[in-house]
Amino acid sequence: MPIDVLLGLQWGDEGKGKVVDYIAPKYKVVARFQGGPNAGHTLVMNGEKHVLHQIPSGIFRPDTINVIGNGVVLDPAVFAKEVLALEVKNVEVKENLFLSNRTQIIIPTHKLLDRASEASKGEQKIGSTLKGIGPSYQDKFARQGLRLGDILSADFDSRYEALKLAHISLLDGSGFDQQELNEMETQFFESLEKIRTFKVVNTEYLLNDCLQKGQSILAEGAQGAMLDIDFGSYPFVTSSSTTAAGACTGLGIAPRHIRKVIGITKAYCTRVGSGPFPTELNDETGEKIRKAGQEFGSTTGRPRRTGWLDLPALKFANMVNGTTEMLIMKGDVLDCFDEVKVCTAYHNEAGQVSEELHYDMARNISRPILHTLAGWPEGLASADSWDSLPSNFKSYCLFIEEKLGVPISFISTGPGREQTIVK
Ligand code: GDP
Ligand code: IMO
Ligand code: MG
């Protein structure tokens, strides 16, 4: 049986959590393959909201096995808090969750390094979530990180101490609060105790055994294609491979097992943090979208930047991911407009029209060429099938499908599980 990969096609926050939760019953396993506590995946069930950061979004489905893969960087303290929040809601976590022993650990000084790095960049800061993502991936690739399997070994504390001291020597110039570090460390070691009671295993064997037994797997992406370390709007990106290929290295699964690549996009664009955003609306329209879409970060609470849908960026994302189907989220947020716009190409700095994304978007400003379509002020709320959707919204979807050449299979009309239309 195959593995399907579900991932964001934009700058994150497309609605991955909602969709994974919705389609999880079709799969035996839901597995996270990259990112860490920078992610914030929101699930809304019976009007109640739950935000997951590191635990896969299949955790609310009692028959689903959830896996935190080797490609993830895990913050034990955030993990312990997430587990507690789920246990309070009587969600079975311990039985249904497996953690890879190869998963990199975010230690407290990674977060201090993240903060110091951003502070040193001033105006050029990435706008990181400050969760220690960049520094922990740096240690992974420098071949000096600590992994979850290591917490079971006798020399873990001394290896931790050595890595911490190496970090402190880097931090010396920028100074840090020893008291704060002490408190973070207390929490860190308490959280490791909790993790020791979980199943920390060779998840590559578990996942490949599932495939061999004919059980299907859903790989849950975090962030989105435009934040990918290679293909995103570098350097304003995250530090992992958010695209489909990342699912193979982040889980230990061969490319030949991938069946569908399910790409998620909002009906418009958002971005949180710094960096280029060609269709950004720094005006009343942008504010209206932010308000209607409640566009505030699920992890940091920061206001998200908003703009019209960017088709050249989506086309690029579909190309590098091999997207086989697209899901359109939050079309209801645009209910408040009589007309909506979509970027179909850019004017580059030389004044030429181009549909290609510049490799260095940050230094080469592209001005969007916008196409206007009729809005759907009657709203999506009452629709429960493709046929009952407002005809202008259907035209909007068909326009996107036609321009991108990828079918739309699913439409989300609101945050709730039930506000979902399969096309
Ligand atoms: P993720 O990181 O991709 O999982 O997305 P987030 O959870 O960070 O952000 C998506 C937000 O949009 C959450 O608050 C969801 O509850 C909400 N949401 C998801 N789908 C829809 C939708 O179709 N309409 C509206 N209005 N909200 C949605
Ligand atoms: P989900 O999974 C939106 C952004 C940050 C920043 C940049 C680098 O919820 O879609 P990092 O903390 O990784 O060093 O930050 O990436 N970013 C996200 N934006 N959604 C996310 O995750 C994000 N994870 C990181 O805002 O611009
Ligand atoms: Mg999010």
Side-chain angles (χ1 to χ4, degrees):
M1 277 290 269
I3 170 160
D4 292 344
V5 186
L6 183 141
L7 41 76
L9 296 172
Q10 301 173 301
W11 280 281
D13 303 329
E14 295 88 351
K16 299 175 290 291
K18 164 178 167 159
V19 178
V20 171
D21 167 62
Y22 183 80
I23 62 174
K26 293 207 294 190
Y27 298 89
K28 183 68 193 164
V29 181
V30 174
R32 275 279 305 271
F33 59 90
Q34 44 69 233
N38 50 351
H41 295 182
T42 313
L43 289 69
V44 179
M45 283 158 268
N46 308 317
E48 201 187 338
K49 181 170 147 172
H50 199 99
V51 181
L52 295 166
H53 299 286
Q54 304 176 117
I55 294 179
S57 302
I59 200 70
F60 285 89
R61 302 289 192 175
D63 297 327
T64 306
I65 292 173
N66 289 267
V67 170
I68 297 181
N70 57 281
V72 169
V73 286
L74 185 113
D75 183 330
V78 175
F79 176 79
K81 267 192 214 145
E82 283 194 81
V83 169
L84 195 63
L86 288 166
E87 284 173 346
V88 164
K89 292 185 182 177
N90 291 321
V91 177
E92 179 53 65
V93 195
K94 221 167 234 173
E95 199 49 42
N96 294 343
L97 183 65
F98 292 79
L99 296 93
S100 165
N101 44 21
R102 296 172 198 265
T103 299
Q104 295 280 328
I105 305 174
I106 299 178
I107 72 169
T109 39
H110 281 135
K111 289 180 264 190
L112 300 183
L113 285 169
D114 211 356
R115 216 189 284 169
S117 161
E118 284 286 80
S120 73
K121 289 193 168 95
E123 295 259 292
Q124 289 306 307
K125 71 174 183 187
I126 308 291
S128 161
T129 58
L130 304 179
K131 303 291 180 192
I133 305 296
S136 57
Y137 277 116
Q138 262 176 287
D139 276 347
K140 170 177 180 170
F141 287 98
R143 300 161 295 183
Q144 61 188 23
L146 294 166
R147 301 184 294 172
L148 274 182
D150 302 341
I151 68 174
L152 305 170
S153 66
D155 64 349
F156 178 78
D157 285 4
S158 62
R159 289 172 65 190
Y160 166 82
E161 228 19 65
L163 188 59
K164 177 182 97 174
L165 291 178
H167 289 167
I168 286 176
S169 70
L170 295 172
L171 277 167
D172 253 350
S174 56
F176 65 94
D177 181 346
Q178 183 63 52
Q179 176 65 22
E180 184 189 15
L181 179 55
N182 293 346
E183 284 163 19
M184 286 162 99
E185 282 189 297
T186 305
Q187 237 190 1
F188 175 77
F189 282 103
E190 277 172 15
S191 309
L192 290 186
E193 281 307 314
K194 179 129 196 161
I195 294 180
R196 286 188 181 103
T197 68
F198 274 76
K199 290 176 274 209
V200 179
V201 300
N202 273 324
T203 50
E204 313 79 60
Y205 285 107
L206 183 152
L207 293 168
N208 283 285
D209 279 353
C210 284
L211 291 175
Q212 233 166 23
K213 282 188 206 144
Q215 295 167 334
S216 58
I217 297 171
L218 179 66
E220 173 181 3
Q223 292 80 52
M226 299 309 291
L227 290 171
D228 181 84
I229 184 72
D230 283 279
F231 302 110
S233 46
Y234 193 87
F236 299 96
V237 293
T238 189
S239 302
S240 65
S241 293
T242 64
T243 41
C248 294
T249 54
L251 294 175
I253 282 183
R256 71 186 168 89
H257 291 300
I258 295 184
R259 174 181 59 176
K260 295 185 195 169
V261 178
I262 307 165
I264 308 193
T265 173
K266 286 181 188 173
Y268 49 93
C269 278
T270 64
R271 160 159 219 172
V272 61
S274 338
F277 183 177
T279 62
E280 183 167 17
L281 291 161
N282 284 309
D283 58 9
E284 272 173 27
T285 308
E287 188 53 43
K288 208 165 152 182
I289 296 177
R290 180 159 37 251
K291 223 169 157 186
Q294 294 179 19
E295 294 295 357
F296 297 90
S298 315
T299 297
T300 58
R302 293 178 291 178
R304 294 178 183 145
R305 300 154 66 193
T306 55
W308 296 120
L309 192 68
D310 186 334
L311 291 183
L314 277 180
K315 200 169 191 169
F316 179 78
N318 283 339
M319 179 177 76
V320 297
N321 280 304
T323 311
T324 56
E325 60 191 84
M326 284 188 304
L327 317 183
I328 307 281
M329 314 296 288
K330 301 190 93 162
D332 55 296
V333 171
L334 302 183
D335 285 358
C336 52
F337 294 102
D338 291 327
E339 48 183 41
V340 294
K341 294 185 196 231
V342 178
C343 168
T344 52
Y346 309 123
H347 268 132
N348 63 23
E349 280 192 333
Q352 293 154 334
V353 175
S354 171
E355 281 185 41
E356 235 178 69
L357 250 65
H358 199 285
Y359 91 96
D360 192 2
M361 291 172 79
R363 289 160 189 268
N364 293 270
I365 310 298
S366 294
R367 282 185 299 108
I369 298 173
L370 297 170
H371 178 83
T372 303
L373 289 105
W376 45 90
E378 65 271 46
L380 303 190
S382 60
D384 58 3
S385 64
W386 169 254
D387 288 338
S388 61
L389 283 163
S391 62
N392 286 344
F393 179 70
K394 284 192 279 190
S395 303
Y396 186 75
C397 292
L398 295 175
F399 182 82
I400 297 168
E401 257 183 353
E402 198 223 327
K403 288 280 176 201
L404 300 178
V406 178
I408 292 169
S409 62
F410 176 113
I411 282 146
S412 171
T413 60
R417 245 186 202 172
E418 66 295 346
Q419 292 168 298
T420 302
I421 292 173
V422 179
K423 180 164 168 262

